[in-house]
Amino acid sequence: MAKRVHNFNPGPATLPLAVLEQARDELVDYRGTGMSILEHSHRGKAYEAVHHETLARLRALLGVPGDYAVLLVQGGAHQQFAMAPMNLLPPGGHAAYVVTGRWGERAIAEARTVGEARLAASTEAGGQYARVARDDEADVDPGAAYLHYTSNETIDGVQYQRVPAAPAGVPLVCDMSSDFLSRPVDVARFGLIYAGAQKNAGPSGVTIVIVKNDLVARARQDLPQVFRYATHAAHDSLYHTAPTFNVYVVCLVLRWLEQKGGLGAIEAESRRKAGAIYEAIDDSPEVFRAPVERESRSRVNVVFRLPTPELEAKFLAGAEAREMVGLRGHRSVGGVRVSLYNALAPESAELLAEYMRAFARSA
Ligand code: PMP
């Protein structure tokens, strides 16, 4: 049996063991073709089947309406920080950004290299983010080209539990990287959704983009081909060489998600896992402190702090000794961060909660 730790990494992150095993079993001879899926042409039958199955599964799982394109692109969410404004922000126009954490900061900064991006709201206070923005505090011009927000701030542990309102006619653009596929989504409320795969959907190296056709049609056409959504949409994301192995693993993850009962079942499990950790935090307020306001607490990245850096180090070392890894907070904020993506077994979350209780008793 391979050694497997309790992997709380924030991304790249844990993948379902069944997916890794299938990838391993098929690695050298992909389904009797005499070559690995790594060696197949992206224009060949074997890979094309994987590619189209992946697109179809994403559509089915998320209930993507027919007037949306589903794209598989490279470049990570960072490339989407740039591509969204490149495509959707016309010369002389402006876009609105609601910033509730460090990734939102990145997104607006990158948009400003392209055009005018206005800060509609920020929940930053004293260098920290502890909540999402209320709709009534977001100052969005009805003439904005779009309104961008981050559904889950992976570093700060701040998550929207609703879809924010946008003025009529202003499309909503969402960086869904870290809570994509962790709960059902009403895609029809969005103009554009993008998500790097490396948290819930598969390995790093492929980014999923879901975009409404009318936005693609209206997007700027004076961009290099590879940066136009229209190019990828027109070619079913096979305009150029696809990240074939990454897409193949995403495909396996999507099958696994379906076997688990789809996004409703996934959300229920995600609530249980996060509930166990928050309960352990709240039951020992003298040892653990969650900096995020209750209604904005992330179910995917639970952040908390201990009273001193020494206790934090002791907590993390103890976790590591119990084969619970990846719990150190982002280097920019410190503390502890518990990433609870879909592939993390509920038993791993329960084990961590037990360890937290034992640690609190002995601290
Ligand atoms: N947005 C969010 C919400 C993220 O969590 C991350 C990565 N952790 C990014 C953007 C950046 O993704 P990438 O490194 O793939 O560009």
Side-chain angles (χ1 to χ4, degrees), residues 11 31 35 65 87 140 148 163 180 184 209 229 246 260 283 362:
R31 299 180 198 176
M35 66 174 92
N87 280 267
V140 185
H148 181 284
V163 177
F180 187 63
V209 175
Y229 290 128
N246 311 59
K260 282 193 66 106
D283 285 350
S362 69

Side-chain angles (χ1 to χ4, degrees), residues 10-11 75-79 81 103-104 106 150 152-155 175-178 194 196-199 204 207 337 341:
H78 276 82
Q79 184 161 303
F81 291 165
W103 293 112
R106 278 273 174 104
T150 313
N152 182 72
E153 283 285 356
T154 322
I155 296 175
D175 174 2
M176 220 176 264
S177 292
S178 47
Y194 61 89
Q198 68 266 28
K199 284 95 164 57
S204 60
T207 308
R337 169 174 50 173
Y341 300 125

Side-chain angles (χ1 to χ4, degrees), residues 317-354:
E320 195 118 3
R322 290 162 177 77
E323 302 202 319
M324 294 186 269
V325 306
L327 291 165
R328 190 179 300 280
H330 190 266
R331 59 187 187 280
S332 62
V333 292
V336 179
R337 169 174 50 173
V338 184
S339 296
L340 302 169
Y341 300 125
N342 293 343
L344 184 92
E347 300 75 52
S348 296
E350 277 153 29
L351 207 67
L352 176 60
E354 270 169 40

Side-chain angles (χ1 to χ4, degrees), residues 52-64 70-72 180-181 187 201 208-210 250 254 257 263:
H52 293 295
E53 180 181 334
T54 306
L55 293 173
R57 283 190 179 278
L58 280 167
R59 273 192 186 279
L61 204 59
L62 286 154
V64 179
V70 179
L71 312 176
L72 301 167
F180 187 63
L181 302 182
V187 174
I208 295 125
V209 175
I210 301 171
V250 170
L254 295 173
L257 281 175
L263 297 183

